[in-house]
C-alpha cells in the first residue's frame, strides 16, 4: 500500500473516531482482548495497559486484540509468555520473521521496534529501520514484511499523574508531563494531552487552552475539558482577564469570596475558583491556559499556580513544534501536488510535442529530396530530439520520486521486466559496439511488485552501464531466483567507479564525472533505483569488480513471491 493510501486510511480513522463511528465500524467482529504478557492482575508494579486491536487490512473480518501490559514480540511460530504468534495470518508466506517486531508500552506512548527482521517493518508506508523505537498512533498502518494491519488504540493507560499526591514536589510531576507532551506532533493530540495533565496535576474540574489569532489579536478557544465549550470561541484581549494575562505575561488566580456569588467566566460557567497562566515562547505570550474549580470551597494554591505555569511552558513549546510540523506537512503536500503536475506536463504535454518534432523531421527525409549534408542535419535533429526525450523521461522519474506512486500488491513478472529493459537498451549498446546480454538462473516465479518502478530501476542500471562504458565493452545482466531471495546484478567492463564517489552514488541529485561521451546525468537515475528497491523491502549495493568495471547488486526477499491463494 502506498503512502497516499496510508494517509487516507489514517484520516478516515480519525474522522470516524471524531464522530464516534469507529466503534460501530469496528464492532464486527469484536476480538477478545487477552492480556499480553499474561498478567491479568499485576500486583506490586505500575504497569501501563494499552488495549489495542489489529485489523487485517485485506480482510476486515480477521483481527486480534491485546491488553498490552509489558514488552511483547510479534513473529512466527511458538514462544513463551511475551510472544504473540501471527501464524494465523499467513505470517510465513507474507515474509514475517520469527522474532519480527517488539511492542514496548510506556505510560505515554506505545513504541514499536523492528528486531532485525528479514523483510522490514513499515508504519504508514515508511520503513522504521532496525532497533529504532517509533511511536504507534491510532489509525496507523503497520506492515510486517507484507502483512498489513490497521491499528486501533481502543484504550490508553490512566493518566501519568493519577498517582501523584497533592503534596509532591513540582519536579516529580513535571518529568512525566514533559515526556507525555513531547511524544506528540499532531496539534490536536498536544492540546488533548495538555488538558488531561492539567486536570490531574492541579485536581481541577475544568481546563481550557486559548491561542492568539495573529491576524485579529483575539484569543481563540482551541480545546477544553469539563465544559461543553464552543470550539473556536473568541475573546477580546483588551476586555478580559485572559487578555490581561496576555498583555502582562503574568498569571492570575482568583476565588470566590465568602458570601459572594460564584465567578462567571467567559465560557458561561459559574466557578468557585479560576486561574490563568500565559503560554509563552521566548518571552512572547502566544496564548493562555486556564483551570477552574466548580465545587464549593475549592481553592487553587500558590503551588498549583507554579505547577500550571510549568505545564503551560511545556505546552507552549509543544504547540510551536506541532505548528512547525503542520507547516512542514502542508509544504510537502504542496510539493507533492506540484511534482504530480510536473510529471503530467512532462510525460503528456512536452513528450507529445517532442514526439511530433521527431515524427515530422523523419517525414522531411522521406518526402523532400535533400542533399547529403541536409540529410545529415535532419539526422542530427532526430538524434538531439531523442536525447531530449530520454531527458524528459528522467525528469518524469524525478517528479515521481516525491509522489506516492509505488504500490507493491500486484502480480508481476520480474524476468519479463528485465528482458524488456535489456531489449530497450540493445540499440544504444549496439551503436557503441557494446555486447549486452542477459543470463537468468534458478526457477523464475511471479512476485508482488510495482511493475513500472521495477522496470525503471532495471532500465536505469543498464542504461548507466552502457553510457559509462567505452566502445567494445561488455555489459552483463544476471537475474537469479531462489526460494529465499532474488538477486539482480548489472555489471560492466568499463572504467569502474572512483572509490571516493562510491559512498555518494545513491544520494539524490548527485552527479558523477560524466559518461563516456562526456555528458553527466541529472543525478536521479540511481535515486530511482534506490527508491524502487527499498519500496520492495530490498537493498542495493554498488561496488567495483576485481577484474575491472563496476557492478550493481539488487537484492529482493523471497517473501515477495506471489501465490494465487493470496488473492482468494
Amino acid at each position: 500500500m502506498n503512502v497516499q493510501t496510508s494517509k487516507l486510511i489514517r484520516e478516515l480513522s480519525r474522522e470516524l473516531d471524531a464522530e464516534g463511528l469507529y466503534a460501530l465500524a469496528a464492532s464486527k467482529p469484536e476480538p477478545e482482548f487477552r492480556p499480553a504478557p499474561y498478567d491479568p492482575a499485576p500486583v506490586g508494579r505500575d504497569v501501563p495497559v494499552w488495549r489495542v486491536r489489529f485489523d487485517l487490512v485485506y480482510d476486515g473480518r480477521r483481527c486480534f486484540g491485546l491488553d498490552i501490559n509489558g514488552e511483547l514480540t510479534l513473529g512466527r511460530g511458538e514462544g513463551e509468555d511475551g510472544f504473540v504468534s501471527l501464524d494465523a495470518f499467513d505470517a510465513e508466506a507474507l515474509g514475517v520473521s520469527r522474532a519480527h517486531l517488539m511492542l514496548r508500552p510506556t505510560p505515554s506512548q506505545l513504541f514499536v521496534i523492528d528486531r532485525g527482521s528479514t523483510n522490514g517493518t513499515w508504519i504508514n508506508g515508511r520503513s522504521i529501520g532496525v532497533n529504532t523505537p517509533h511511536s504507534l498512533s491510532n489509525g496507523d498502518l503497520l506492515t510486517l514484511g507484507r502483512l498489513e494491519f490497521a491499528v486501533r488504540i481502543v484504550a490508553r493507560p490512566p493518566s501519568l499523574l493519577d498517582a501523584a499526591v497533592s503534596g509532591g514536589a513540582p519536579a516529580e510531576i513535571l518529568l512525566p508531563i514533559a515526556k507525555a507532551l513531547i511524544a506528540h506532533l499532531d496539534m490536536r493530540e498536544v492540546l488533548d494531552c495538555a488538558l488531561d495533565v492539567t486536570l490531574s496535576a492541579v485536581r481541577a474540574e475544568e481546563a481550557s487552552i486559548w491561542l492568539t489569532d495573529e491576524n485579529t489579536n483575539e484569543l481563540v478557544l482551541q480545546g477544553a475539558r469539563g465544559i461543553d465549550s464552543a470550539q473556536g470561541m473568541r475573546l477580546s484581549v483588551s476586555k478580559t482577564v485572559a487578555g490581561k494575562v496576555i498583555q502582562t505575561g503574568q498569571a492570575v488566580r482568583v476565588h470566590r469570596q465568602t458570601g459572594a456569588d460564584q465567578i462567571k467566566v467567559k465560557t458561561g460557567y459559574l466557578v468557585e475558583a479560576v486561574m490563568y497562566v500565559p503560554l509563552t515562547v521566548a518571552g512572547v505570550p502566544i496564548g493562555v491556559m486556564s483551570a477552574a474549580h466548580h465545587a464549593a470551597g475549592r481553592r487553587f494554591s500558590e503551588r498549583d499556580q507554579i505547577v500550571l505555569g510549568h505545564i503551560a511552558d511545556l505546552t507552549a513549546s509543544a504547540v510551536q513544534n506541532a505548528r512547525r510540523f503542520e507547516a512542514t506537512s502542508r509544504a510537502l503536500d504542496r510539493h507533492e501536488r506540484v511534482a504530480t503536475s510536473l510529471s503530467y506536463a512532462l510525460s503528456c504535454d512536452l513528450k507529445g510535442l517532442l514526439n511530433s518534432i521527431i515524427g515530422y523531421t523523419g517525414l522531411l527525409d522521406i518526402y523532400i529530396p535533400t542533399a547529403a549534408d541536409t540529410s545529415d542535419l535532419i539526422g542530427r535533429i532526430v538524434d538531439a530530439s531523442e536525447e531530449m526525450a530520454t531527458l524528459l523521461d528522467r525528469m518524469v522519474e524525478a517528479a515521481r520520486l516525491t509522489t506516492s506512486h509505488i504500490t507493491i500488491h500486484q502480480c508481476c513478472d520480474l524476468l519479463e521486466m528485465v528482458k524488456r529493459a535489456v531489449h530497450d537498451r540493445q540499440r544504444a549498446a549496439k551503436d557503441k559496439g557494446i555486447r549486452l546480454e542477459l543470463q537468468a538462473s534458478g526457477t523464475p516465479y511471479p512476485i508482488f511488485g510495482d511493475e513500472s518502478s521495477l522496470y525503471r530501476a532495471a532500465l536505469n542500471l543498464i542504461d548507466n552501464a552502457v553510457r559509462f562504458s567505452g566502445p567494445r565493452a561488455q555489459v552483463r545482466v544476471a537475474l537469479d531466483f531462489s526460494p529465499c531471495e532474488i538477486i539482480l546484478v548489472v555489471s560492466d567492463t568499463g572504467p569502474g567507479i572512483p572509490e571516493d564517489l562510491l559512498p555518494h552514488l545513491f544520494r539524490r541529485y548527485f552527479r558523477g564525472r560524466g559518461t563516456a561521451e562526456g555528458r553527466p546525468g541529472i543525478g536521479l537515475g540511481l535515486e530511482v533505483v534506490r527508491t524502487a528497491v527499498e519500496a520492495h523491502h530490498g537493498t542495493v549495493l554498488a561496488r567495483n569488480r576485481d577484474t575491472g568495471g563496476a557492478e550493481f547488486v539488487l537484492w529482493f526477499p523471497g517473501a515477495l513471491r506471489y501465490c494465487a491463494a493470496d488473492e482468494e
Side-chain angles (χ1 to χ4, degrees):
M1 182 170 294
N2 59 31
V3 177
Q4 187 66 26
T5 304
S6 303
K7 288 168 64 178
L8 290 174
I9 287 178
R10 294 191 68 190
E11 291 171 2
L12 177 61
S13 174
R14 288 176 179 173
E15 290 175 6
L16 290 172
D17 197 28
E19 296 295 331
L21 299 176
Y22 194 100
L24 177 63
S27 61
K28 296 188 292 185
E30 179 64 29
E32 176 186 354
F33 292 91
R34 60 185 180 92
Y38 183 73
D39 197 354
V43 179
R45 61 190 183 97
D46 183 18
V47 178
V49 177
W50 292 74
R51 171 161 286 194
V52 184
R53 63 177 285 158
F54 299 84
D55 295 312
L56 190 64
V57 169
Y58 297 109
D59 186 351
R61 298 167 298 178
R62 301 172 65 188
C63 61
F64 68 97
L66 298 173
D67 281 335
I68 304 172
N69 56 61
E71 286 189 353
L72 288 177
T73 297
L74 305 186
R76 292 190 289 109
E78 300 296 330
E80 300 178 354
D81 189 27
F83 179 86
V84 175
S85 175
L86 300 177
D87 288 350
F89 299 92
D90 307 312
E92 184 173 6
L94 295 176
V96 177
S97 296
R98 293 190 178 278
H100 193 111
L101 182 74
M102 176 182 290
L103 295 175
R104 177 174 293 169
T106 70
S108 60
Q109 292 176 277
L110 178 61
F111 289 103
V112 293
I113 306 170
D114 186 281
R115 298 188 58 186
S117 65
T118 300
N119 299 313
T121 303
W122 308 68
I123 295 179
N124 302 319
R126 300 185 184 279
S127 173
I128 68 171
V130 177
N131 295 324
T132 303
H134 284 258
S135 179
L136 202 60
S137 300
N138 187 42
D140 279 348
L141 184 73
L142 179 64
T143 306
L144 292 75
R146 290 189 290 108
L147 179 60
E148 296 185 320
F149 291 104
V151 177
R152 166 64 171 161
I153 297 178
V154 179
R156 299 171 180 270
S159 170
L160 290 171
L161 303 171
D162 287 348
V165 296
S166 59
E172 297 174 354
I173 301 176
L174 293 177
L175 181 58
I177 290 175
K179 289 182 177 179
L181 284 171
I182 65 175
H184 305 291
L185 284 174
D186 179 82
M187 180 65 81
R188 185 74 263 154
E189 293 177 353
V190 167
L191 297 175
D192 288 345
C193 180
L195 291 167
D196 289 340
V197 298
T198 295
L199 294 180
S200 297
V202 298
R203 299 295 190 264
E205 296 150 300
E206 174 186 326
S208 61
I209 296 176
W210 306 73
L211 297 180
T212 303
D213 185 326
E214 297 178 354
N215 296 318
T216 65
N217 202 33
E218 294 176 308
L219 285 170
V220 182
L221 182 62
Q222 300 293 334
R225 289 287 189 276
I227 56 176
D228 296 327
S229 61
Q231 194 80 0
M233 178 181 179
R234 291 175 174 266
L235 294 181
S236 168
V237 170
S238 60
K239 300 178 181 180
T240 60
V241 176
K244 181 181 178 181
V245 172
I246 284 286
Q247 291 175 331
T248 64
Q250 301 296 317
V252 173
R253 184 175 85 251
V254 296
H255 62 269
R256 182 175 67 88
Q257 301 296 325
T258 302
D261 293 333
Q262 284 189 311
I263 304 166
K264 185 175 182 179
V265 294
K266 288 296 183 179
T267 54
Y269 282 72
L270 296 175
V271 300
E272 189 75 6
V274 64
M275 61 179 171
Y276 296 91
V277 297
L279 296 167
T280 306
V281 176
V284 178
I286 65 168
V288 172
M289 175 178 283
S290 75
H293 287 311
H294 295 165
R298 298 290 302 277
R299 299 286 188 272
F300 287 113
S301 66
E302 183 178 353
R303 173 188 175 276
D304 291 333
Q305 182 176 316
I306 293 173
V307 170
L308 187 60
H310 288 310
I311 294 174
D313 289 340
L314 294 169
T315 300
S317 297
V319 165
Q320 290 299 88
N321 289 336
R323 284 174 168 173
R324 294 190 188 99
F325 178 74
E326 288 180 350
T328 301
S329 298
R330 287 194 297 269
L332 289 174
D333 287 341
R334 287 195 299 271
H335 181 66
E336 183 170 329
R337 288 194 296 269
V338 170
T340 301
S341 300
L342 176 62
S343 174
Y344 180 85
L346 292 173
S347 59
C348 298
D349 300 333
L350 294 180
K351 191 67 177 292
L353 292 172
L354 189 57
N355 286 335
S356 296
I357 293 173
I358 296 173
Y360 288 132
T361 304
L363 291 176
L364 287 176
D365 201 27
I366 296 174
Y367 291 104
I368 300 177
T370 58
D373 55 349
T374 305
S375 180
D376 181 63
L377 289 175
I378 292 175
R380 290 176 181 272
I381 293 173
V382 172
D383 291 342
S385 299
E386 289 178 346
E387 286 192 20
M388 289 178 62
T390 300
L391 182 60
L392 280 176
D393 286 338
R394 294 186 178 278
M395 293 176 69
V396 170
E397 291 173 352
R400 287 175 175 171
L401 284 178
T402 55
T403 60
S404 305
H405 70 289
I406 296 181
T407 55
I408 62 171
H409 297 289
Q410 303 168 3
C411 176
C412 55
D413 190 330
L414 182 59
L415 178 57
E416 285 302 316
M417 283 182 279
V418 174
K419 285 182 177 179
R420 180 155 57 93
V422 170
H423 174 269
D424 290 346
R425 285 296 175 263
Q426 279 289 5
R427 177 183 172 185
K430 184 178 180 181
D431 290 343
K432 293 182 62 176
I434 294 175
R435 186 172 66 180
L436 172 60
E437 58 182 21
L438 168 65
Q439 179 181 348
S441 58
T443 302
Y445 49 80
I447 64 170
F448 279 100
D450 182 273
E451 182 171 337
S452 176
S453 65
L454 288 172
Y455 164 76
R456 290 198 304 273
L459 186 70
N460 271 288
L461 288 182
I462 297 169
D463 184 61
N464 275 351
V466 171
R467 290 191 299 118
F468 283 87
S469 296
R472 293 176 296 280
Q474 180 178 357
V475 175
R476 180 173 177 268
V477 181
L479 182 61
D480 178 66
F481 290 85
S482 70
C484 298
E485 61 186 8
I486 304 171
I487 297 177
L488 173 64
V489 180
V490 178
S491 59
D492 61 63
T493 57
I497 304 168
E499 293 295 329
D500 61 321
L501 300 185
L502 279 173
H504 309 289
L505 286 180
F506 296 98
R507 195 179 70 214
R508 187 176 293 192
Y509 306 125
F510 173 77
R511 293 164 67 103
R513 297 175 183 171
T515 65
E517 294 85 9
R519 299 191 184 100
I522 64 173
L524 283 161
L526 294 181
E527 172 70 8
V528 170
V529 175
R530 183 190 64 79
T531 302
V533 171
E534 290 184 356
H536 292 80
H537 305 179
T539 59
V540 57
L541 169 69
R543 62 193 177 195
N544 286 315
R545 304 168 63 215
D546 294 337
T547 56
E551 69 178 6
F552 289 81
V553 182
L554 275 59
W555 175 89
F556 298 100
L560 292 176
R561 179 195 292 264
Y562 168 85
C563 297
D566 294 337
E567 296 293 299
E568 295 177 357

